[in-house]
Structure formats: structure tokens, C-alpha cells
Amino acid sequence: MFNLPQWAFDALSILTQLFILAIGVAALVALYMYARDTTQTADAVRRNYPVVGRFRGLFTTLGEFFRQYFFALDREELPFNRAERDWVYRAARGKGGTIPFGSTKPMTPVGTALFVNCPFPVLDDDAAATQPMRIGPHARQPYDAPSFFNISGMSYGALSKPAVRALSVGAKKSGIWLNTGEGGLSQFHLEGGCDIVFQIGTAKFGVRNEDGSLSEKSLGDIAALPQVKMFELKLSQGAKPGKGGILPAAKVNKEIAKIRGIPVGKAAISPNRHPDIENIGDLLDMIARIREVSGKPVGIKFVVGAYGWLDELCEEILKRGAESAPDFFTVDSGDGGTGAAPMALMDNVGLTIRESLPMVAEILRKHGLKQRIRIIASGKLLIPGAVAWALATGADFVQCGRGFMFSLGCIQALKCHENTCPTGVTTHKKHLQRGLVVREKSDMVAEYARTITEHVEMIAHSCGVAEPRKLKRKHVRIVQENGRSVALSDLNFVSDTLTRQPDSQA
């Protein structure tokens, strides 16, 4: 018979006692949970099925992760499916956008945009580099924006410190602008040396007096920075039209509170609109005021819902003179994203960019202001086809937020508002931020921007034009209910009757 040494018997004895202890502790915990579940009144499942009912909450929490990795098909997730996310991940890692076998994208659903390839596409030797486009010709310091694809507004506060730093450095490497979002300007936005678009939200964070009004001194100080190229006056955004920005209290630390000019540890809830802008006249007066103080281009950001006000705005501009116009419109989509927003607004309010962008471009053309007011398209435009569609439809620029979040490592965990982002992109917890290494992620930001540009150019060349801004509506066809497609240029997006709707104050 095999004899075990004494130390082995001692080890087995200890392990046996630990096992018995663990069983006892587990039994006590189960007994405690049973007592708690049967006496509590908030959760009916736990009250009727003590202990076991707790697994429902666990499985519900884990379900979104299991669906993403095991059950959801490549093209069925929302807000972005696996195919879209994987394209961004590959692009950000410098692996290009090449895929094998065949497309998994359905080509037949109504509304699908299809580009019409030319029988004699542009050769690489004949391709033209996209030239900088001037914004704000009547400002003292116009901005010659070098890239048609840029980073949209995401504030420091909604994003973490390393995320903003990586975006700044990556934007500089790729020659694109970085929009600050409504949370004010931090040193981390400036760190990389990129061009900055300063967004002025309804609370005027970073350029506000104590009463929330515009501080011309603060505005002038920020405008004096050479990196700050433009100012964007935000009227509304796609994820929460009619509701101001929301930064949960857990994210308002001392540093963010100082930048924004708000109390520490208190949720930052912006007004639903600018209190000092009540009508079209007030809006144009504010634009003129900001442009006069800053000397730089000033535009407005909005999501389209009611749109008769756009006609009224254009008519007032023509009365005052073209120099009074906003230098750009940033048109956001009703399905745009944000760090935190009420579901009631996110799911139900605002037109998507697919409907609103061609409408806005048509209204500006009708009033002869398309060349005066640049159009920046925003909202889920993170892959080459979407960007090319926007340029062909009437946009001069495209800016994207969540595509760049994916390039930083975002996995669509949907925890942006809870300060528990597992990849460090939208959390202020140091141990979670540790995963976001600025040097590596800034390279991925730059590579994603470069790959988007390259592949949009590829679509343009296939359509027979030398560079993306030469794409027109005639280069796109839209699938109809009968399964056939019609040219985008043949569709009527705004009739005279519709544009005259009396909804400017709606």
C-alpha cells in the first residue's frame, strides 16, 4: 500500500477543513439572502423565489455581453453592429478595410444608398488631394480646414483625461480638428497641438459668468489661443433635442468643476436652450457678438425637427447681409450619441441625418447661401460609405464621435453614464483609465482618420471623380420599395409647401 508522507496528510486535513468552512459560509450567506429576499417588498421575483430570483438580475446584466459576443449576428446590433465596429478596429490598427469572400451588408432594404461606379474610374496617378476649405470668410481670422473628416464634440468630463489626450495627439498626427464638446477647454485638448473647435453649449461652460451668461473676457482669452480655430454655438444635439447636456455628479471632480465653473460633485445639467436666445434675431445677434469678440468663424449646431425656422433664418440673413450668416451649420442626427440622455428623447425626437442633411442643403441652395454657410454633417457617420454619402448629399465636412471612441478601444459596453467604462474611455476611475495608453491610442486615432480618408477617396475614384468633395447626388442611388433604385438627385427632399410650415417657434 502506498504511504503518503505526513505533510501530505496535514495538507489534506487543512484543505478538508477549509472546504467545510467554505460550505458553512456559503450556507450562512444563502440563509441571509433568503431572509432578506422574503422580507423585502421592492422585487416580486426575489420575494417569491428567494435566492434563486437573484440570478435574474445577474443574467440580465450579463445578457448584453453574451449577445454581443455569442448570439448577435454581424449586422443586427444597435447602435453599431459588429461589422461596423470591427471595421473601425481594423482601420485603427492599420490593417485596412479589406474583407474576404463577400459583403454581409444587405443591399436591398428600402433607403439603402448605392454608389454608381464609372466605367472609367480615376487612376491613382490622376487622383487629386483634397484641398483645405475656407470657413468664415467674413471673420478676422478665417479657418482653412485641411480635412473633410474630423472629431465631433465630446467634452472632457464625458470623456476621460487619457481619452482627450489621445484624441488631441491623434488629431494633430492626422491633420484634423478636435471639437471640445460643451464642457469647456482643458489643457488636455491643447496637449497634442491640434486644431480646436470650441463648442459653446447652453450653460456656456468655460466662457460663462457666475449667472450663466456669456463672459466676453473668457471668450476673448480662449479666442487668443492660436490652436482655437472656430466657435460652435450648440442649439441642440441629436441624442437629446430640447434638453441640455447632462454630466452625472459622479464625474464632476475638482478639475472638471474648475474648467466648467460649477460646484464639485453636483450633476451638471445645462438649460434646454440658451436663455438669451429666444428667436432668429437673437441668434444672429449672438453669432455676431461671438465673432466680433473672437475674430474667428462662428457656426451653429442643431438637430433638425421643425424646419420652417431655417427658411426664416435664411430670409433674415439676406435682409441683414451675407456677412451676418453663421459660418457653418453642424447638422446632427436624431440617432446621434452622447454620454447620458433621457431614453424618451434619444428614441423618439429629431430627424435622422439621412433625412435632414439633404433637406438643409436644399434650403441653403434655394436661398443662395450654400457657398456662404458650410455644412458639417454629424451622427453615426463612422464608416467610409456613410461619409461619402454625406459629402455627395451636400456636406462640406463630416465629423464623428463614436468612431473615434472605437479607435480608442471602446467596446460599446453602454456604461458611459455610470463612470464604469471598462476601457477607460468615459470613466474617471484611475484603475480603469490605466488601460488607455495615450501613446498607442493616439496612433490608432490617427490611423482611423487616415483610413477613412483613403477609403472615401477610393469610393470617389470608383465613381469617376478625382476627390471626395466632387461627389454629387447623381453619384448615389437610393433603393425604393419596389426594389429598384433612383438617383438621389431625382428625389425631392423639401417642397415649397413644406418649407413654409409655420413652425419656427414649435
Side-chain angles (χ1 to χ4, degrees):
M1 181 177 178
F2 182 71
N3 294 319
L4 291 175
Q6 184 61 40
W7 63 267
F9 280 110
D10 293 341
L12 286 173
S13 177
I14 293 172
L15 290 174
T16 301
Q17 294 177 49
L18 289 175
F19 178 74
I20 294 172
L21 178 63
I23 293 294
V25 170
L28 287 174
V29 171
L31 184 62
Y32 170 76
M33 289 192 295
Y34 181 90
R36 284 292 304 272
D37 291 348
T38 55
T39 55
Q40 61 84 35
T41 58
D43 189 326
V45 174
R46 284 171 52 201
R47 187 173 176 85
N48 291 337
Y49 302 94
V51 184
V52 176
R54 290 173 175 260
F55 286 98
R56 177 183 178 277
L58 175 64
F59 292 151
T60 299
T61 301
L62 295 177
E64 61 187 82
F65 301 107
F66 284 123
R67 286 192 296 273
Q68 179 180 134
Y69 295 115
F70 300 112
F71 304 119
L73 299 178
D74 284 350
R75 295 280 183 175
E76 70 177 10
E77 285 184 274
L78 292 174
F80 297 97
N81 60 52
R82 185 184 296 116
E84 293 167 330
R85 297 196 309 273
D86 284 351
W87 189 93
V88 177
Y89 294 150
R90 290 195 305 273
R93 292 183 173 90
K95 296 182 179 180
T98 303
I99 60 174
F101 200 73
S103 174
T104 61
K105 177 183 176 181
M107 301 292 190
T108 55
V110 175
T112 300
L114 303 173
F115 290 87
V116 292
N117 56 294
C118 173
F120 308 106
V122 175
L123 296 173
D124 290 344
D125 292 342
D126 297 328
T130 301
Q131 297 300 307
M133 176 174 277
R134 173 155 291 192
I135 305 175
H138 297 284
R140 294 193 298 275
Q141 299 179 53
Y143 177 39
D144 294 318
S147 174
F148 62 77
F149 188 65
N150 301 279
I151 304 174
S152 64
M154 296 181 287
S155 66
Y156 173 49
L159 295 187
S160 67
K161 182 186 303 183
V164 174
R165 293 176 61 207
L167 290 174
S168 178
V169 176
K172 176 63 176 179
K173 290 178 180 178
S174 54
I176 64 179
W177 78 54
L178 169 62
N179 189 308
T180 64
E182 69 170 276
L185 182 66
S186 72
Q187 66 189 65
F188 314 114
H189 290 104
L190 300 170
E191 181 174 312
C194 66
D195 290 350
I196 296 291
V197 177
F198 185 94
Q199 186 181 97
I200 302 175
T202 58
K204 300 180 176 62
F205 294 132
V207 288
R208 71 198 304 263
N209 294 311
E210 289 186 8
D211 62 358
S213 61
L214 179 68
S215 168
E216 293 191 359
K217 180 183 184 306
S218 298
L219 176 64
D221 291 342
I222 289 174
L225 298 172
Q227 277 181 249
V228 177
K229 302 297 184 182
M230 301 194 300
F231 290 86
E232 179 182 78
L233 187 65
K234 187 174 84 168
L235 304 183
S236 60
Q237 69 181 90
K240 45 194 170 189
K243 180 72 175 175
I246 302 172
L247 186 65
K251 289 189 171 186
V252 184
N253 58 31
K254 290 182 179 180
E255 188 174 44
I256 290 168
K258 181 178 180 181
I259 292 169
R260 296 192 177 211
I262 57 176
V264 178
K266 183 178 180 180
I269 310 297
S270 301
N272 293 340
R273 66 167 174 81
H274 291 271
D276 45 4
I277 300 177
E278 297 185 1
N279 51 52
I280 297 296
D282 289 347
L283 176 59
L284 291 178
D285 290 344
M286 178 61 76
I287 290 168
R289 181 183 175 193
I290 296 172
R291 189 159 47 214
E292 176 59 30
V293 173
S294 68
K296 296 183 176 179
V298 181
I300 57 175
K301 176 180 181 178
F302 55 88
V303 57
V304 176
Y307 46 89
W309 70 276
L310 288 169
D311 270 319
E312 295 179 15
L313 175 61
C314 291
E315 290 168 0
E316 183 63 23
I317 289 169
L318 294 176
K319 288 179 184 178
R320 296 189 182 201
E323 66 280 0
S324 69
D327 295 305
F328 60 90
F329 284 173
T330 300
V331 183
D332 203 5
S333 181
D335 57 1
T338 187
M343 186 174 175
L345 295 179
M346 190 178 288
D347 283 357
N348 300 294
V349 183
L351 302 182
T352 68
I353 196 73
R354 293 284 174 176
E355 182 175 3
S356 61
L357 176 59
M359 180 189 302
V360 171
E362 200 61 36
I363 289 172
L364 289 182
R365 286 193 184 97
K366 186 182 73 169
H367 291 281
L369 292 170
K370 180 64 175 67
Q371 296 304 312
R372 169 66 183 92
I373 301 174
R374 302 303 187 192
I375 297 179
I376 304 169
S378 180
K380 297 187 77 172
L381 304 173
L382 82 170
I383 56 176
V387 176
W389 170 87
L391 294 174
T393 302
D396 300 297
F397 302 90
V398 172
Q399 61 180 21
C400 180
R402 286 173 289 180
F404 284 100
M405 288 176 66
F406 288 138
S407 75
L408 290 172
C410 169
I411 60 171
Q412 196 169 283
L414 307 181
K415 302 297 181 184
C416 307
H417 63 304
E418 296 182 0
N419 203 29
T420 57
C421 170
T423 60
V425 177
T426 64
T427 180
H428 298 293
K429 295 183 177 181
K430 299 293 185 183
H431 71 283
L432 293 174
Q433 291 181 357
R434 182 176 176 273
L436 203 164
V437 180
V438 172
R439 182 174 57 187
E440 282 74 13
K441 297 302 183 183
S442 65
D443 287 340
M444 296 174 73
V445 166
E447 193 61 43
Y448 168 58
R450 284 193 288 262
T451 305
I452 280 281
T453 300
E454 175 188 339
H455 283 248
V456 174
E457 290 173 344
M458 190 185 304
I459 292 174
H461 300 162
S462 177
C463 292
V465 298
E467 60 100 356
R469 284 208 183 100
K470 293 186 178 180
L471 286 169
K472 304 299 179 185
R473 295 186 183 187
K474 66 181 181 180
H475 294 116
V476 184
R477 295 182 69 85
I478 306 298
V479 176
Q480 303 297 293
E481 290 184 357
N482 62 5
R484 302 187 64 181
S485 64
V486 299
L488 184 62
S489 55
D490 291 340
L491 297 177
N492 181 21
F493 293 97
V494 183
S495 69
D496 290 337
T497 301
L498 287 178
T499 58
R500 301 307 302 172
Q501 63 172 333
D503 58 13
S504 62
Q505 299 301 318

